[in-house]
Amino acid sequence: MSPPTRGPGYSRAGSSSPAAYNSPIAQFQAVSWQALPGWQQDDLSAAWPAWLKSCEALRKRNSEINWRPVCMQASNISARDDDAIRQYFEANFQAYEIRNSANGNETGLVTGYYEPVLNGSQTRTATYPVPLYAYPHSWKSSKPSPAPPRSELMSSGILRGSEIAWVKDPVEAAFMQIQGSGKIRLDDGRVLRLGYAGTNDQPFKSFAQWLLDRKEITRSEATMQGISAWAKRNPGRVEEMLNANPRFVFFKELPGKVSADLGPIGALGVPLTSERSIAVDLRALPLGAPVFLSTTRPLSKQALQKLVMAQDTGKAIVGGVRADYYWGSGDAAGELAGRMKQDGKMWLLLPR
């Protein structure tokens, strides 16, 4: 997606009038650094590696925002000096409160996502009978339009021969599709990294909403954990639930040189950083930009106030004040991501 056009938003150093970033769905109001709750308390050295990753990509991208000077300046900053990092941002960036254009509201939804780590195999076994699929070979030259929904794909035989890995649980496989990437831990200790390879172009529909509409779960159970628990109680209806989402995601094996310790590759083309990367609506915010986020931890009132980087996007991430917070890899991250549905505020940081 091309970046939004320039327009009212922030003032460049030396300019007499605002002429910069503009969004069709968000409004921006310049504020002081003191207006960012928790800015002084955040450990910015923990965010610095994520910003350097953004800079790696932003230097190479064509953008209406000139990121190069601030990225060049970043090379002079000690990654361990929290005070120097804070001074760098305060001297080189202007903070803008983000509001939704439709209603002027400065509060929006913050959800969470993660990178699943599943036990699995590269061949089908009794323990691992559930396939994850590569993009169908026949579609590379001629993809049907519209492509079949999940229910037809699974019964048609189109996917036969496209299996890329096998895992234990169909619901865990479906959650990996929703996340768009993951790791498969093989019995011999190797880790297979799978990345997003495409979809059948069908719309995403929520399992949780399907269950809620049928009064199968309560609102408090509308989490990944609640959905998994329902599936264990209703094994004969799991396929029916999975087919409620017509969207189907395909994977590709990432090269062996990709470290298993790195996060998945986001839309910016760089590895995501645990608790320092977010997915945003690209109609609202520029990909790669620093964003200050103020929300709460899942199912609590404990403040979560951090500098994060807009390094990813997703079909379900819609709105000006809207973020999907990347918690990291594995079960602990999944527990947090699956329960996160908080109110939050956001500030966009742009070069002066």
Side-chain angles (χ1 to χ4, degrees), residues 5-338:
T5 56
R6 291 163 66 96
Y10 75 95
S11 299
R12 283 189 184 279
S15 68
S16 58
S17 62
Y21 186 76
N22 187 41
S23 160
I25 64 168
Q27 299 170 342
F28 306 96
Q29 177 65 49
V31 297
S32 69
W33 292 99
Q34 288 72 29
L36 277 57
W39 169 253
Q40 292 297 329
Q41 291 72 42
D42 187 20
D43 177 11
L44 296 184
S45 64
W48 193 246
W51 171 236
L52 295 181
K53 288 189 180 80
S54 271
C55 276
E56 287 175 18
L58 292 172
R59 284 193 187 102
K60 304 170 188 173
R61 294 172 69 91
N62 291 323
S63 173
E64 294 295 334
I65 299 166
N66 185 4
W67 298 104
R68 290 183 180 88
V70 290
C71 285
M72 288 178 62
Q73 182 68 18
S75 62
N76 300 322
I77 306 300
S78 169
R80 294 181 295 275
D81 190 336
D82 194 62
D83 289 337
I85 294 170
R86 186 170 284 101
Q87 290 169 12
Y88 159 83
F89 279 107
E90 291 180 358
N92 292 286
F93 290 79
Q94 171 65 54
Y96 292 87
E97 181 186 64
I98 307 168
R99 290 177 176 262
N100 291 305
S101 293
N103 55 18
N105 202 329
E106 75 276 15
T107 301
L109 176 64
V110 182
T111 51
Y113 70 122
Y114 76 112
E115 182 182 40
V117 181
L118 306 183
N119 292 327
S121 171
Q122 289 180 293
T123 58
R124 181 173 185 164
T125 68
T127 304
Y128 304 119
V130 180
L132 298 169
Y133 291 98
Y135 198 81
H137 183 74
S138 61
W139 285 13
K140 293 177 182 177
S141 56
S142 179
K143 184 177 183 178
S145 181
R150 182 191 190 277
S151 57
E152 290 182 33
L153 280 175
M154 298 302 286
S155 62
S156 66
I158 293 171
L159 302 180
R160 194 172 298 120
S162 298
E163 297 87 350
I164 195 171
W166 303 80
V167 296
K168 184 179 296 185
D169 180 37
V171 177
E172 287 187 341
F175 285 145
M176 182 176 280
Q177 288 197 341
I178 292 170
Q179 303 304 315
S181 64
K183 298 173 186 169
I184 307 299
R185 189 187 297 112
L186 305 176
D187 288 344
D188 63 7
R190 289 183 296 130
V191 174
L192 186 69
R193 297 209 60 169
L194 302 184
Y196 174 87
T199 75
N200 60 344
D201 296 330
Q202 292 282 342
F204 170 80
K205 294 190 177 177
S206 163
F207 302 139
Q209 192 59 54
W210 186 85
L211 292 168
L212 286 167
D213 290 345
R214 287 154 183 78
K215 296 182 170 52
E216 297 284 341
I217 60 173
T218 64
R219 282 283 170 193
S220 65
E221 295 170 324
T223 63
M224 287 191 295
Q225 293 78 11
I227 294 168
S228 294
W230 178 91
K232 288 180 171 62
R233 296 193 303 268
N234 299 273
R237 297 185 63 196
V238 167
E239 200 63 17
E240 180 188 4
M241 179 192 74
L242 297 181
N243 284 336
N245 178 20
R247 187 173 179 83
F248 198 85
V249 172
F250 303 101
F251 297 101
K252 60 186 175 184
E253 183 176 354
L254 297 179
K257 66 182 179 180
V258 176
S259 169
D261 296 329
L262 290 175
I265 304 299
L268 185 62
V270 302
L272 303 180
T273 301
S274 301
E275 301 188 48
R276 293 292 176 171
S277 296
I278 59 171
V280 299
D281 188 335
L282 296 188
R283 297 173 303 156
L285 303 180
L287 194 60
V291 174
F292 194 76
L293 175 68
S294 178
T295 183
T296 51
R297 293 178 65 85
L299 302 180
S300 82
K301 294 183 179 179
Q302 182 183 348
L304 192 163
Q305 296 169 332
K306 290 186 175 184
L307 179 64
V308 293
M309 307 301 154
Q311 295 174 331
D312 207 2
T313 190
K315 292 285 186 183
I317 314 306
V318 178
V321 186
R322 176 72 174 94
D324 208 16
Y325 182 80
Y326 176 65
W327 279 102
S329 298
D331 293 344
E335 287 284 319
L336 291 162

